[in-house]
């Protein structure tokens, strides 16, 4: 028995030494992979390896505990960020790494996932019963079970009227299932450095484990801006789609942008033009708005994000006050 206990102690010591060596090797490997000494970034420390791989050398990351107040903005999460060829500046920000429900701002990464994963946007797909049975309070684009529609048309239905039905049809047809599509969303988020996000669905309806941050939403918009179709869709005010019903009859659906800056219901000050954006609203998320804007006098472009406003009036008032920084 004494000999057996000694052997156990020796084996335990060996295992501890082996684990320590493996951890040191992994850390060294990560540092070599991302070449940490040569990266000129302000990094959010607890995710240094992931961030350094995802960001350009000019990207400035805000300090997690610092606030640069925007006068008249009453929500506790917002971001105004300029990223141009020769300069990147965060003008105003607060709680940009705080995890929040983001409602239909989720559809920004849903759109981005489709653009990255789907090779044929002209492909016709069929609307399932699952896509049309999302509840009476769900934002819908007017699709019916059995409708045939192209993937590209679905992207407009996803973003302009914020169709949750479009989100489900896209997920079912771009991946093997909605769950598989959500895995692609989460993988994409991590790959672009949005490491404080987690998604459980492609539309943004409230769920405990479905969340993101203002900074991650900026990253989604930034990544999306690399795609011509992404920029076109988020800046479109109206769109007409043709669908073919289960019985073979064609019908036209007109979708109008929910973003009031883009549909003509609201105007910004003269020096700022809204190029594109996305709205979102659920009980947990409140009213959310993410936009891509341009300062007319300088041509400088900006991303602006406001989360968790009390109502529709408040979210546009908060965004107006955030954009007032640019006047």
């Amino acid at each position: 028995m004494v000999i057996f206990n000694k052997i156990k102690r020796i084996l335990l010591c060996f295992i501890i030494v082996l684990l320590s060596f493996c951890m040191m090797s992994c850390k060294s490997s990560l540092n070599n992979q991302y070449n940490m000494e040569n990266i000129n970034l302000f990094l959010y420390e607890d995710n240094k390896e992931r961030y350094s791989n995802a960001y350009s050398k000019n990207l400035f990351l805000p300090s997690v505990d610092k606030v640069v107040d925007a006068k008249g903005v009453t929500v506790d999460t917002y971001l105004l960020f300029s990223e141009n060829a020769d300069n990147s500046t965060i003008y105003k920000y607060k709680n940009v790494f705080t995890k929040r429900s983001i409602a239909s701002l989720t559809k920004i990464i849903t759109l981005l996932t489709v653009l990255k994963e789907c090779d044929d946007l002209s492909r016709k797909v069929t609307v399932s019963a699952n896509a049309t049975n999302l509840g009476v309070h769900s934002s819908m684009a007017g699709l019916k079970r059995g409708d045939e529609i192209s993937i590209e048309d679905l992207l407009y239905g996803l973003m302009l009227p914020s169709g949750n039905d479009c989100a489900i049809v896209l997920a079912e047809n771009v991946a093997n299932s909605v769950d598989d599509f959500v895995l692609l969303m989460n993988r994409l988020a991590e790959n672009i450095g949005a490491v404080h996000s987690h998604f459980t669905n492609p539309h943004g309806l409230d769920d405990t484990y479905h969340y993101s941050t203002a900074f991650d939403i900026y990253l989604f918009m930034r990544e999306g801006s690399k795609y011509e179709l992404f920029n076109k869709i988020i800046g479109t005010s109206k769109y007409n789609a043709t669908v073919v019903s289960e019985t073979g009859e064609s019908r036209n659906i007109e979708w109008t942008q929910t973003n009031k800056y883009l549909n003509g219901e609201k105007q910004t000050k003269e020096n700022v033009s809204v190029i594109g954006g996305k709205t979102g609203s659920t009980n947990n998320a409140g009213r959310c708005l993410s936009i891509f804007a341009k300062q007319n006098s300088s041509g400088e472009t900006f991303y602006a994000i406001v989360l968790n406003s009390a109502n529709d009036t408040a979210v546009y008032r908060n965004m107006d006050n955030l954009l007032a920084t640019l006047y």
Side-chain angles (χ1 to χ4, degrees):
M1 182 63 72
V2 173
I3 294 174
F4 179 71
N5 286 336
K6 286 184 177 180
I7 293 173
K8 283 194 346 184
R9 284 197 294 271
I10 292 170
L11 285 173
L12 181 60
C13 290
F14 176 76
I15 291 170
I16 291 172
V17 171
L18 182 62
L19 286 173
S20 298
F21 176 78
C22 289
M23 290 176 68
M24 290 175 66
S25 297
C26 288
K27 184 174 181 181
S28 174
S29 174
L30 281 172
N31 284 338
N32 290 335
Q33 180 182 356
Y34 299 125
N35 196 11
M36 297 300 293
E37 299 98 27
N38 296 326
I39 295 171
N40 183 23
L41 297 170
F42 293 90
L43 294 170
Y44 192 34
E45 289 298 322
D46 63 347
N47 286 294
K48 181 175 289 187
E49 291 87 358
R50 291 178 181 178
Y51 275 145
S52 59
N53 190 41
Y55 295 163
S56 69
K57 65 180 181 180
N58 293 322
L59 182 59
F60 172 79
L61 300 185
S63 169
V64 69
D65 56 357
K66 187 176 179 182
V67 174
V68 179
D69 281 321
K71 185 178 180 181
V73 179
T74 57
V75 291
D76 63 357
T77 302
Y78 54 82
L79 172 65
L80 180 63
F81 193 108
S82 165
E83 184 179 355
N84 294 276
D86 57 350
N87 184 43
S88 296
T89 305
I90 292 185
Y91 283 84
K92 304 291 179 181
Y93 63 95
K94 185 176 183 180
N95 293 330
V96 293
F97 294 117
T98 301
K99 295 172 183 176
R100 303 279 189 199
S101 296
I102 62 165
S104 285
L105 298 195
T106 299
K107 291 174 178 129
I108 299 169
I109 192 168
T110 299
L111 168 59
L112 185 56
T113 302
V114 173
L115 293 178
K116 284 185 176 289
E117 297 291 334
C118 185
D119 294 329
D120 184 8
L121 298 180
S122 65
R123 177 163 60 96
K124 303 286 187 179
V125 297
T126 302
V127 176
S128 67
N130 187 35
T132 59
N133 295 324
L134 293 172
V136 294
H137 298 298
S138 185
S139 173
M140 306 290 274
L143 301 179
K144 298 177 182 179
R145 178 181 177 178
D147 281 346
E148 187 179 77
I149 184 172
S150 74
I151 289 177
E152 183 169 344
D153 283 348
L154 283 168
L155 293 177
Y156 284 92
L158 174 79
M159 298 301 283
L160 272 67
S162 203
N164 294 342
D165 45 358
C166 295
I168 295 296
V169 180
L170 287 165
E172 290 174 337
N173 287 278
V174 171
N176 294 322
S177 67
V178 172
D179 287 344
D180 285 346
F181 185 84
V182 170
L183 289 175
L184 294 175
M185 293 169 63
N186 284 311
R187 185 186 304 163
L188 174 58
E190 183 168 355
N191 285 344
I192 64 176
V195 294
H196 294 96
S197 296
H198 185 266
F199 303 106
T200 61
N201 62 66
H203 41 62
L205 292 177
D206 288 332
D207 183 274
T208 302
Y209 300 105
H210 189 101
Y211 53 79
S212 188
T213 68
F215 196 81
D216 284 1
I217 293 165
Y218 149 70
L219 290 177
F220 303 149
M221 293 284 286
R222 176 179 181 258
E223 184 70 14
S225 69
K226 300 174 183 177
Y227 293 83
E228 183 179 349
L229 185 58
F230 180 96
N231 295 322
K232 182 179 179 182
I233 291 172
I234 68 168
T236 298
S237 58
K238 286 184 183 294
Y239 185 82
N240 287 284
T242 300
V243 300
V244 178
S245 73
E246 211 170 12
T247 59
E249 298 171 345
S250 294
R251 76 178 189 279
N252 183 71
I253 305 178
E254 183 179 78
W255 291 315
T256 300
Q257 172 70 248
T258 57
N259 187 325
K260 292 183 179 181
Y261 292 125
L262 295 169
N263 68 21
E265 291 184 46
K266 186 161 182 57
Q267 301 295 320
T268 59
K269 292 290 184 66
E270 193 170 301
N271 194 35
V272 175
S273 296
V274 174
I275 301 169
K278 185 72 190 78
T279 61
S281 173
T282 63
N283 290 336
N284 286 344
R287 297 298 194 275
C288 304
L289 182 59
S290 175
I291 66 169
F292 183 46
K294 179 178 72 172
Q295 189 178 45
N296 296 330
S297 58
S298 66
E300 191 173 3
T301 55
F302 299 84
Y303 299 93
I305 296 148
V306 170
L307 302 183
N308 200 31
S309 289
N311 51 51
D312 225 30
T313 300
V315 75
Y316 286 98
R317 182 179 65 245
N318 283 320
M319 184 60 77
D320 283 342
N321 289 334
L322 186 58
L323 292 174
T325 305
L326 310 179
Y327 302 152

